[in-house]
Amino acid sequence: MAVSDPAQPPHETGETRRDFLYLAAGVLGAYGVGAAIWPLIDQMNPAADVLAVATIEVDIAPIVVGQAITVKWQGKPVFIRHRTQEEIDAARKVDPKELPDPQPDEMRAPKPEWLIVVGVCTHLGCIPLGQKPTDPHGEYNGWFCPCHGSHYDTAGRIRKGPAPKNLPVPKYEFVTDTMVRIG
Amino acid sequence: MRPAYFDHPIAKWIEYRLPVFSFLEHELYEYPTPKNLSYWWNFGSLAGIMLVVMIATGVVLAMHYVPHVDLAFDSIERIMRDVNYGWLLRYLHMNGGSVFFLVVYIHLFRGLYYGSFKYPRELLWMLGLVILLLMMATAFMGYVLPWGQMSFWAATVITNLFSAIPWVGDAIVTWLWGGFAVDQPTLGRFYSLHYLLPFVIVGVVGMHLMALHQHGSGNPLGVDVRKDKGDTIPFHPYYTVKDLFGTGVLFIFYFALVFFWPNLLGETINYVPANPLQTPAHIVPEWYFLPYYAILRSITFDIWFIPAKLIGVTLMFGSLLILFLLPWLDSSKVRSAKFRPIYKQFFWVFLLDAIVLGWVGGQPAEGIYVVIGQVATLFYFSYFFVIIPLIAKYEKPRPLPESISTPVLKEMA
């Protein structure tokens, strides 16, 4: 497009160099506003000190068979359950394909007697009951969330109720046979 | 008409620089108001008064409250026991929230019954809904501040609603929390926003009033006012006096709550300090959130590939957002339900439905309550998407009077 006089717009297309300048200035302006707003938004994400406190070590030697303990990790409860043979069998005999969130027990508990899950209901974040012998354990002998009635089995998998997912398994490793590092 | 005080030298000096007197004169005295407004028209000004009460008590409470997870609960107890009149200010603020919502809900249902959302007041209606949404956010964050058990778990459950958003849900929740659970960063930002939002509400109320004064108040007959037929009277003194009387009646009710039953509408368990490792057996929101909570919980099944949680959350927010569409869903030109025999009946069914939803929201999510909640939710959405459009299309409204005064004058003659 040959433009001889910038003040006179070419009649064929109706576009001028001024239109281009408007567009370019607008894009740059939008980018600048976005860059200025981003720190205001990102400051709400977890701060460095919050991210730093991300692993804990737990001594699991005192937990007897059939007992469960709750430890706090990243502000959330983590359930560590020393499962009985019946609980392991109950979790392993189910066909994972029939579950709402299919996962075999072998994947969730590589050491079958130890189940370690984040004790936060995947529906809306309540703490399910079932850590104490006197608690309700739900219809599948695992955990029961009192808020909206989700039932979890002995592998912490969702079996019934509004929760969409299994209780998440955090990243963990056995440092020794009786010491586990979570996170 | 130009009042005498305009000629006072000081008034003249100010008026020349800042036209505040002519503004007040125009909006209060000359502002023509329909002469047949019933007591249902008191609730707008009552809501304004409650907003002022909430800001006044809130600002002074903020002088004593400490937004820290280890100190927040104790600072509230200190306000209750040690601060001069602290108990009064806190109970006024606590119950003021409930009274504010009650007044606003009556104001909203008044609008539904008398068709206040219709042409040319669509934006007035939508600004009111924006105020309601802001009030809800403010009330929710205020409820978290005492850091009791219900505070903490309300914060957890409500922020977790956003995890239902596909793909980015978890990142959004972490962002809202500022960590991996509701904790100190969450409390800090909630406190900041709880202080900010009321002033945003003040701004939107200003626009709500601008939109109101553009076309003036509606009225129980829903017909446009005719100044030539003597349909209007000045706002002051007629409605200033009536609003003042209404305020007196409301405050009798409000202060009865504050002085005799200050904890009636609260949850006892919120006097237990927050414990992130233990959820209370029965979580319920404050009464003014119960209907939405019931809608959220009513979806217990997946639809196709969409998980139940996402549908529940969508419907809960949708139950409010749908009100923004109401001016277009209801295409009937007749505003007042007085002249709409079918709409009038369904209005009362809808009100009943909202109350049933509120009741279900306070019950445990099991057995028959789930079924009732599902039926009530179905009706709620059918009302807007099916019933209202159909009524607007097929209902034969009764004849409208020519003006507010005409039928009265005919009877007298």
Side-chain angles (χ1 to χ4, degrees):
Chain A
M1 187 172 73
V3 178
S4 50
D5 181 4
Q8 293 294 321
H11 293 288
E12 304 87 58
T13 62
E15 286 174 15
T16 64
R17 293 190 346 184
R18 183 156 291 175
D19 289 332
F20 172 75
L21 287 175
Y22 277 142
L23 188 69
V27 168
L28 193 68
Y31 180 80
V33 169
I37 286 176
W38 178 243
L40 297 174
I41 294 170
D42 193 42
Q43 56 84 22
M44 281 173 69
N45 272 317
D49 63 329
V50 175
L51 290 171
V53 198
T55 61
I56 52 161
E57 289 195 354
V58 186
D59 179 10
I60 53 173
I63 310 172
V64 297
V65 175
Q67 195 191 0
I69 65 159
T70 306
V71 294
K72 202 170 165 188
W73 171 67
Q74 291 190 341
K76 291 178 286 202
V78 170
F79 296 163
I80 303 177
R81 188 149 168 174
H82 196 163
R83 297 194 292 183
T84 62
Q85 194 55 47
E86 296 88 75
E87 287 171 343
I88 299 169
D89 294 342
R92 304 225 151 166
K93 75 165 192 255
V94 187
D95 181 4
K97 284 190 214 105
E98 293 167 11
L99 301 176
D101 183 12
Q103 258 185 339
D105 187 60
E106 288 80 359
M107 240 173 80
R108 297 176 56 80
K111 275 193 180 189
E113 65 271 30
W114 293 105
L115 178 73
I116 302 178
V117 289
V118 175
V120 174
C121 183
T122 56
H123 181 226
L124 293 174
C126 297
I127 311 295
L129 297 171
Q131 286 294 84
K132 292 183 205 140
T134 48
D135 281 349
H137 292 267
E139 289 174 22
Y140 296 88
N141 202 28
W143 290 271
F144 171 72
C145 184
C147 290
H148 307 101
S150 291
H151 299 253
Y152 295 92
D153 67 9
T154 54
R157 291 175 299 199
I158 180 66
R159 298 296 286 271
K160 188 183 168 190
K165 291 222 157 60
N166 301 331
L167 295 179
V169 178
K171 187 169 161 255
Y172 66 87
E173 58 176 342
F174 286 90
V175 185
T176 68
D177 275 351
T178 59
M179 183 68 79
V180 63
R181 182 193 293 135
I182 301 170
Chain B
M1 196 180 70
R2 205 180 140 81
Y5 73 84
F6 267 47
D7 293 327
H8 192 278
I10 295 176
K12 268 173 141 169
W13 189 91
I14 295 173
E15 176 70 24
Y16 185 67
R17 287 153 183 85
L18 179 75
V20 59
F21 295 110
S22 54
F23 175 78
L24 288 177
E25 194 66 19
H26 179 68
E27 300 300 335
L28 283 181
Y29 193 81
E30 293 163 11
Y31 178 58
T33 316
K35 64 181 182 184
N36 61 337
L37 296 188
S38 66
Y39 276 109
W40 297 115
W41 264 259
N42 273 57
F43 289 86
S45 73
L46 291 179
I49 284 162
M50 287 315 298
L51 178 61
V52 171
V53 170
M54 292 305 280
I55 289 179
T57 52
V59 164
V60 292
L61 285 170
M63 297 177 184
H64 304 280
Y65 171 76
V66 184
H68 187 281
V69 289
D70 297 329
L71 305 170
F73 188 89
D74 292 346
S75 75
I76 298 281
E77 285 309 305
R78 185 179 159 269
I79 289 170
M80 293 300 290
R81 293 151 199 248
D82 296 339
V83 174
N84 298 336
Y85 292 105
W87 59 272
L88 175 65
L89 297 165
R90 173 162 180 263
Y91 278 154
L92 282 171
H93 198 72
M94 227 172 94
N95 289 286
S98 280
V99 174
F100 196 2
F101 270 100
L102 179 68
V103 166
V104 163
Y105 281 144
I106 294 173
H107 189 56
L108 188 149
F109 274 95
R110 191 289 318 274
L112 286 178
Y113 186 87
Y114 291 107
S116 307
F117 51 86
K118 291 187 182 177
Y119 172 87
R121 297 186 183 84
E122 297 94 330
L123 277 180
L124 174 58
W125 169 256
M126 290 163 88
L127 285 166
L129 293 174
V130 170
I131 294 170
L132 179 62
L133 290 175
L134 287 168
M135 277 175 65
M136 288 177 163
T138 310
F140 159 65
M141 287 190 275
Y143 192 68
V144 173
L145 301 184
W147 213 244
Q149 267 293 62
M150 209 53 105
S151 296
F152 182 90
W153 291 101
T156 300
V157 169
I158 300 300
T159 48
N160 261 303
L161 294 178
F162 294 90
S163 70
I165 301 168
W167 301 298
V168 294
D170 287 329
I172 289 179
V173 172
T174 303
W175 176 71
L176 288 172
W177 287 340
F180 305 103
V182 173
D183 210 329
Q184 179 58 42
T186 327
L187 180 60
R189 63 193 58 181
F190 277 21
Y191 181 52
S192 169
L193 295 173
H194 182 69
Y195 207 117
L196 167 73
L197 288 186
F199 297 96
V200 178
I201 293 178
V202 169
V204 184
V205 166
M207 291 199 279
H208 192 61
L209 287 176
M210 273 171 70
L212 171 70
H213 283 221
Q214 178 74 5
H215 290 282
S217 298
N219 66 79
L221 294 179
V223 295
D224 291 328
V225 293
R226 295 272 299 267
K227 278 189 203 168
D228 57 320
K229 302 267 182 188
D231 278 354
T232 63
I233 46 176
F235 188 85
H236 179 74
Y238 296 101
Y239 287 112
T240 39
V241 163
K242 191 172 177 177
D243 282 346
L244 206 59
F245 174 72
T247 306
V249 175
L250 180 77
F251 275 17
I252 289 172
F253 168 76
Y254 177 25
F255 292 152
L257 269 182
V258 168
F259 289 116
F260 295 102
W261 303 280
N263 289 301
L264 176 73
L265 300 170
E267 289 292 324
T268 319
I269 196 137
N270 215 28
Y271 286 104
V272 175
N275 178 0
L277 296 186
Q278 196 192 4
T279 310
H282 188 196
I283 294 193
V284 278
E286 293 286 84
W287 69 268
Y288 40 82
F289 289 142
L290 288 174
Y292 317 106
Y293 196 58
I295 291 174
L296 169 76
R297 297 195 305 182
S298 71
I299 306 300
T300 52
F301 44 85
D302 298 351
I303 297 177
W304 205 20
F305 63 89
I306 310 169
K309 180 167 143 182
L310 178 58
I311 304 169
V313 171
T314 309
L315 288 189
M316 187 184 78
F317 286 111
S319 67
L320 278 163
L321 297 180
I322 195 173
L323 291 167
F324 282 90
L325 300 178
L326 187 57
W328 294 276
L329 291 171
D330 186 352
S331 58
S332 171
K333 296 271 185 286
V334 179
R335 295 195 189 100
S336 174
K338 278 189 181 196
F339 303 102
R340 303 187 60 193
I342 314 285
Y343 177 83
K344 190 181 190 171
Q345 289 171 25
F346 275 98
F347 168 85
W348 292 110
V349 180
F350 177 70
L351 179 61
L352 185 72
D353 187 65
I355 292 168
V356 167
L357 279 171
W359 171 72
V360 168
Q363 305 301 323
E366 56 198 31
I368 187 72
Y369 299 120
V370 177
V371 181
I372 299 173
Q374 287 170 340
V375 173
T377 301
L378 183 68
F379 180 84
Y380 186 97
F381 287 96
S382 312
Y383 180 73
F384 289 105
F385 280 125
V386 182
I387 297 174
I388 280 191
L390 284 182
I391 294 175
K393 199 167 174 204
Y394 293 109
E395 180 186 52
K396 190 170 160 29
R398 290 167 46 207
L400 293 174
E402 187 190 351
S403 74
I404 294 170
S405 310
T406 311
V408 185
L409 293 175
K410 260 186 203 151
E411 249 171 59
M412 284 167 70

